[in-house]
Amino acid sequence: MKRFRSKGRTRRPRHRRRAPLARSVLRVVVLTLGVLVALLLLLILLLRWVDPPYSMYMLSPASGPIAPSLRHTWQPIHALPLHVPLAVVAAEDQRFPRHRGFDWESIQEAVNARLQGARLRGASTVSQQTAKNVFLWHGRSLTRKLLEAGLTTAVEVLWPKARILEVYLNVAEWGPGIFGIEAAAQYHFGIPARHLSAEQAALLAAVLPNPRVYSPSRPSGNVLQRARWVERQMTQLGPDWLAPLQLGSGPAAGVRTDRP
């Protein structure tokens, strides 16, 4: 006698046919992301020794036109007076020599101040600003902040601290279309960056929070007040504060930060 099989036994769920395709697509996506991350890490490692001619922010429409009379000339950090990087650290990120990319103390202080009703203030480190300026666009989206965190971690792992500070000095914006410490010194004071005085370095550092509004060469009362604060911080920190960075001995590395 011929046996008949139940239709329920012969049918196979359709989702089982789709499972291999879904796994294949997922495998391709993961592999693609892995390759992109590996290439990005390779680029970051390469920039440990190769000076980036431009940053992503310089190339973005938000940066505006670069001043036509200025060239983006790279300045090695060891060729600068020690008070130039010290002024930037004193103004922007005093714990820079000792943190690993994120200043958790400043973040906690900013959160506490916000909870008490104060205006939300930034706690971004020099490492974070370097990663943002070199690799990302400016903005406040969650996606950009997550990318910034990942890139900051990679930069801290793959670059020495001195390199991070050097790149920041050379890609930071010091006025509308004014990028890099050499262009800033030439534009605002008419001198090479290696000839900047401690007072001029403090004025430049004082405008970093908003270089498109404030000018170090035509300082407002607020800029002068902040510059004097930066100078006091430089004196309190002292040149030895940057000793862990091993900046080397440039032509003016022994310049004192205190003024007579």
Side-chain angles (χ1 to χ4, degrees), residues 46 48 56-57 62 72 75 112 122 143 146 149 216 218 226 244:
L46 182 64
R48 173 173 177 160
M56 285 298 293
Y57 181 60
H72 180 237
Q75 272 294 334
N112 291 338
T143 300
L146 291 174
R218 297 183 297 277
R226 178 168 169 78

Side-chain angles (χ1 to χ4, degrees), residues 17-242:
R17 298 178 181 177
R18 296 175 181 175
L21 177 59
R23 285 197 295 267
S24 298
V25 172
L26 180 61
R27 190 179 298 112
V28 171
V29 170
V30 171
L31 181 61
T32 302
L33 290 176
V35 171
L36 291 176
V37 170
L39 290 175
L40 180 58
L41 291 175
L42 183 61
L43 174 62
I44 295 173
L45 181 61
L46 182 64
L47 293 180
R48 173 173 177 160
W49 300 283
V50 178
D51 301 332
Y54 295 99
S55 68
M56 285 298 293
Y57 181 60
M58 290 181 198
L59 299 175
S60 69
S63 69
I66 296 177
S69 60
L70 297 174
R71 291 178 55 196
H72 180 237
T73 305
W74 195 272
Q75 272 294 334
I77 196 168
H78 60 76
L80 296 170
L82 188 59
H83 52 252
V84 172
L86 182 61
V88 170
V89 169
E92 294 288 285
D93 183 9
Q94 294 190 8
R95 297 187 182 98
F96 174 73
R98 288 160 173 76
H99 66 62
R100 297 303 300 172
F102 305 94
D103 188 350
W104 299 110
E105 292 183 37
S106 293
I107 293 173
Q108 185 62 52
E109 292 171 1
V111 171
N112 291 338
R114 179 60 176 172
L115 292 176
Q116 294 174 4
R119 181 181 178 183
L120 183 63
R121 59 182 177 86
S124 182
T125 64
V126 165
S127 303
Q128 290 174 270
Q129 293 180 57
T130 301
K132 175 183 67 177
N133 287 339
V134 175
F135 300 106
L136 297 174
W137 64 97
H138 280 220
R140 296 182 179 275
S141 67
L142 178 61
T143 300
R144 193 198 63 77
K145 293 300 292 185
L146 291 174
L147 290 172
E148 178 188 303
L151 289 167
T152 299
T153 301
V155 163
E156 278 281 344
V157 170
L158 298 176
W159 294 359
K161 282 285 191 177
R163 179 58 173 171
I164 296 173
L165 187 53
E166 178 182 65
V167 173
Y168 179 71
L169 287 168
N170 282 279
V171 301
E173 186 178 24
W174 307 82
I178 313 300
F179 292 96
I181 187 65
E182 181 64 24
Q186 294 281 359
Y187 181 82
H188 291 294
F189 301 113
I191 58 175
R194 65 180 181 274
H195 292 161
L196 286 168
S197 67
E199 182 179 4
Q200 291 168 331
L203 283 167
L204 285 169
V207 305
L208 278 174
N210 200 341
R212 296 196 171 199
V213 174
Y214 302 113
S215 169
S217 52
R218 297 183 297 277
S220 64
N222 289 337
V223 171
L224 288 173
Q225 183 178 1
R226 178 168 169 78
R228 286 192 291 267
W229 176 84
V230 171
E231 289 189 79
R232 290 195 298 271
Q233 297 303 304
M234 293 165 66
T235 301
Q236 291 177 13
L237 294 175
D240 290 341
W241 187 249
L242 298 183

